[in-house]
């Protein structure tokens, strides 16, 4: 497994890489790798001849009051994970490598970034789309793999790739969960047992919404009410949003049809949790 830290070495590696011989798959991450990241790497391994994983805690996608400094970092474990998963190349740029002193360009996807996460984290997606553009330009992969766990992020990146004519296919991979349904996340490192227990209600609420749709409910407001009841917000738990949206545009729906995504974000004791479920509404 090769480890590269500079953009210059990455460019040299990429120039030598013959795209006709083997396709490159990129899995962008912020490290603290877990089974969710592994599933993306495994999907890339099955699809592509060469698998590249990037590990970079991107300051641009954190708000000023967010957890950039305390975000979990464990490079030796991450490298061990990449070795186990037979990754070909790990790109671990330093902060000043991707953002030198005179860095001044950002990339923004306007409409899709505005709602939901964008409302609570106004600079987040611009940070994501800027770093992903840089990574796609450097690696020029045929495929890039993202997790459904961050569903809005996937939609934003798909739009970015389409709008900027980037020659990469974006693949959405299923959310990996614990046995009780709790979605894996690097941030779970600093979630207490009782926070985790309470936060599980988010998955349960989304599941109740899905079940209600399967049972014939078609009014979004009723499904949302149903989900909110399960979440039972109160002291200690705040709902940022809980909504039924069109799976492509992320616009809120009033009557449910086609493919719908149930999106939710809650806060418990200063920790934010997001989750979602995609539901195909029967005709
Ligand atoms: P992160 O390191 O949190 O930026 O995530 C890197 C990639 O892993 C993103 O595409 C995430 O959506 C994906 N990911 C994170 N958690 C999970 C999970 N539980 N299941 C599947 N993919 C995930």
């Amino acid at each position: 497994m090769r480890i590269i830290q500079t953009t210059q070495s990455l460019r040299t590696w990429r120039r030598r890489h013959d795209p006709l011989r083997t396709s490159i798959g990129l899995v962008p991450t912020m490290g603290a790798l877990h089974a969710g990241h592994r599933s993306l790497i495994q999907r890339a391994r099955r699809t592509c001849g060469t698998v590249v994983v990037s590990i970079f805690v991107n300051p641009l996608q954190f708000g000023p009051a967010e957890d950039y400094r305390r975000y979990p970092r464990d490079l030796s474990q991450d490298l061990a994970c990449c070795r186990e998963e037979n990754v070909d190349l790990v790109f671990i740029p330093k902060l000043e490598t991707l953002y030198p002193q005179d860095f001044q360009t950002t990339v923004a996807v306007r409409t899709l970034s505005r709602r939901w996460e964008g409302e609570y984290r106004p600079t987040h997606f611009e940070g994501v789309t800027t770093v992903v553009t840089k990574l796609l330009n450097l690696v020029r992969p045929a495929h890039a793999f993202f997790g459904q766990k961050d569903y809005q992020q996937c939609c934003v990146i798909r739009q970015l790739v389409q709008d900027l004519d980037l020659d990469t296919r974006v693949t959405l991979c299923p959310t990996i969960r614990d046995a009780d349904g709790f979605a894996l996340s690097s941030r779970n490192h600093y979630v207490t047992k009782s926070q985790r227990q309470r936060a599980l209600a988010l998955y349960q609420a989304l599941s109740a919404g899905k079940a209600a749709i399967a049972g014939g409910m078609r009014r979004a407001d009723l499904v949302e009410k149903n989900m909110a009841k399960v979440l039972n917000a109160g002291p200690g738990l705040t709902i940022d949003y809980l909504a039924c949206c069109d799976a492509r545009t992320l616009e809120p729906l009033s009557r449910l049809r086609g493919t719908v995504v149930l999106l939710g974000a809650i806060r418990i004791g200063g920790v934010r949790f997001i989750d979602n479920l995609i539901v195909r509404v029967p005709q």
Side-chain angles (χ1 to χ4, degrees), residues 96-165:
E96 57 276 18
T97 304
L98 285 195
Y99 303 125
Q101 282 249 306
D102 63 344
F103 184 82
Q104 45 189 304
T105 303
T106 61
V107 180
V109 172
R110 279 196 291 262
T111 312
L112 272 170
S113 301
R114 226 172 261 149
R115 269 190 204 281
W116 317 120
E117 279 308 278
E119 209 170 295
Y120 292 87
R121 309 181 70 191
T123 56
H124 173 67
F125 285 123
E126 192 165 329
V128 171
T129 41
T130 300
V131 82
V132 168
T133 304
K134 285 171 74 76
L135 291 169
L136 293 178
N137 276 335
L138 285 163
V139 179
R140 283 182 282 127
H143 300 264
F145 299 84
F146 295 88
Q148 188 194 319
K149 166 76 171 52
D150 301 281
Y151 186 75
Q152 188 177 5
Q153 171 174 282
C154 288
C155 297
V156 166
I157 288 168
R158 280 216 163 111
Q159 190 70 42
L160 165 86
V161 164
Q162 183 184 307
D163 289 351
L164 297 187
D165 306 303

Side-chain angles (χ1 to χ4, degrees), residues 16-251:
R16 288 196 190 128
H17 210 92
D18 180 3
L20 295 177
R21 206 163 47 83
T22 162
S23 68
I24 298 177
L26 172 66
V27 181
T29 82
M30 296 206 298
L33 302 182
H34 51 67
H37 298 110
R38 272 185 199 263
S39 75
L40 266 53
I41 298 171
Q42 286 160 3
R43 180 74 179 272
R45 191 68 284 170
R46 288 198 299 276
T47 315
C48 306
T50 301
V51 176
V52 178
V53 172
S54 62
I55 299 176
F56 180 66
V57 184
N58 175 33
L60 238 55
Q61 69 189 70
F62 289 78
E66 291 181 1
D67 53 350
Y68 173 67
R69 272 178 204 289
R70 75 174 186 132
Y71 193 85
R73 292 159 168 89
D74 191 340
L75 193 54
S76 58
Q77 260 205 39
D78 289 348
L79 291 176
C81 167
C82 290
R83 264 189 208 104
E84 276 168 32
E85 298 301 338
N86 211 7
V87 168
D88 298 287
L89 169 66
V90 188
F91 179 48
I92 319 170
K94 291 206 163 45
L95 185 59
E96 57 276 18
T97 304
L98 285 195
Y99 303 125
Q101 282 249 306
D102 63 344
F103 184 82
Q104 45 189 304
T105 303
T106 61
V107 180
V109 172
R110 279 196 291 262
T111 312
L112 272 170
S113 301
R114 226 172 261 149
R115 269 190 204 281
W116 317 120
E117 279 308 278
E119 209 170 295
Y120 292 87
R121 309 181 70 191
T123 56
H124 173 67
F125 285 123
E126 192 165 329
V128 171
T129 41
T130 300
V131 82
V132 168
T133 304
K134 285 171 74 76
L135 291 169
L136 293 178
N137 276 335
L138 285 163
V139 179
R140 283 182 282 127
H143 300 264
F145 299 84
F146 295 88
Q148 188 194 319
K149 166 76 171 52
D150 301 281
Y151 186 75
Q152 188 177 5
Q153 171 174 282
C154 288
C155 297
V156 166
I157 288 168
R158 280 216 163 111
Q159 190 70 42
L160 165 86
V161 164
Q162 183 184 307
D163 289 351
L164 297 187
D165 306 303
L166 302 178
D167 197 11
T168 297
R169 196 181 167 140
V170 172
T171 299
L172 179 70
C173 304
T175 303
I176 304 299
R177 304 175 180 279
D178 280 336
D180 58 6
F182 193 71
L184 300 188
S185 160
S186 301
R187 288 190 166 96
N188 294 351
H189 277 278
Y190 45 67
V191 170
T192 66
K193 248 190 171 157
S194 73
Q195 283 172 330
R196 186 199 178 285
Q197 202 47 36
R198 188 74 182 91
L200 183 58
L202 177 56
Y203 173 69
Q204 291 166 341
L206 296 170
S207 302
K210 184 173 176 173
I213 297 170
M217 202 178 274
R218 293 292 177 270
R219 269 178 55 188
D221 59 337
L222 296 182
V223 174
E224 284 163 12
K225 224 183 214 169
N226 226 286
M227 295 195 289
K229 204 162 116 195
V230 175
L231 252 183
N232 189 22
L237 188 153
T238 311
I239 300 176
D240 281 351
Y241 58 83
L242 202 51
C244 305
C245 322
D246 179 275
R248 200 178 49 83
T249 63
L250 300 187
E251 290 297 312

